[in-house]
Amino acid sequence: MNPFDEFEYGSTMETSLKGYILPDNMDGYTNIGSLIYDLEQECESEEANGNGLIAEKDLPAFKRMWKESPADFVEIIAVEWVITMKEIVKVEAEK
């Protein structure tokens, strides 16, 4: 069972993080705090600017999770960050 299924908008967040946010931006973030901060800033914004980390189609799910359950919002990001970092370390070790 997917641990994010219990969160109404968690699956969208998980898919977005795995699909394009982390793969496209891991080299630009040296710590998880910066990533969380930038994602929170996008959620606070009244309108999507089209240049953010979150695709416009996924932004409502991120905003809703951020407003309704900030702890779960951070947890989902943290879990995906750790999974991605483990993969990066594994690939680097295999080189």
Side-chain angles (χ1 to χ4, degrees):
M1 182 175 136
N2 185 330
F4 300 125
D5 286 345
E6 66 185 87
F7 304 123
E8 187 175 350
Y9 301 100
S11 291
T12 299
M13 285 184 63
E14 176 192 21
T15 301
S16 301
L17 287 161
K18 283 180 180 178
Y20 63 89
I21 294 173
L22 291 174
D24 293 349
N25 297 288
M26 282 304 282
D27 59 342
Y29 288 94
T30 57
N31 67 61
I32 191 171
S34 297
L35 176 63
I36 291 170
Y37 176 80
D38 287 350
L39 293 172
E40 287 176 331
Q41 292 301 304
E42 282 191 56
C43 291
E44 283 181 0
S45 177
E46 290 298 319
E47 57 188 60
N49 66 12
N51 295 323
L53 296 172
I54 306 168
E56 196 168 331
K57 68 178 179 59
D58 299 325
L59 192 55
F62 276 80
K63 284 186 174 198
R64 189 142 213 186
M65 181 65 86
W66 177 72
K67 286 179 184 175
E68 292 180 4
S69 186
D72 292 337
F73 176 88
V74 171
E75 180 181 359
I76 291 169
I77 296 165
V79 166
E80 290 307 321
W81 172 275
V82 169
I83 290 169
T84 302
M85 289 304 293
K86 283 181 180 178
E87 287 298 315
I88 290 170
V89 168
K90 181 180 171 183
V91 168
E92 291 296 320
E94 291 174 354
K95 287 185 178 179

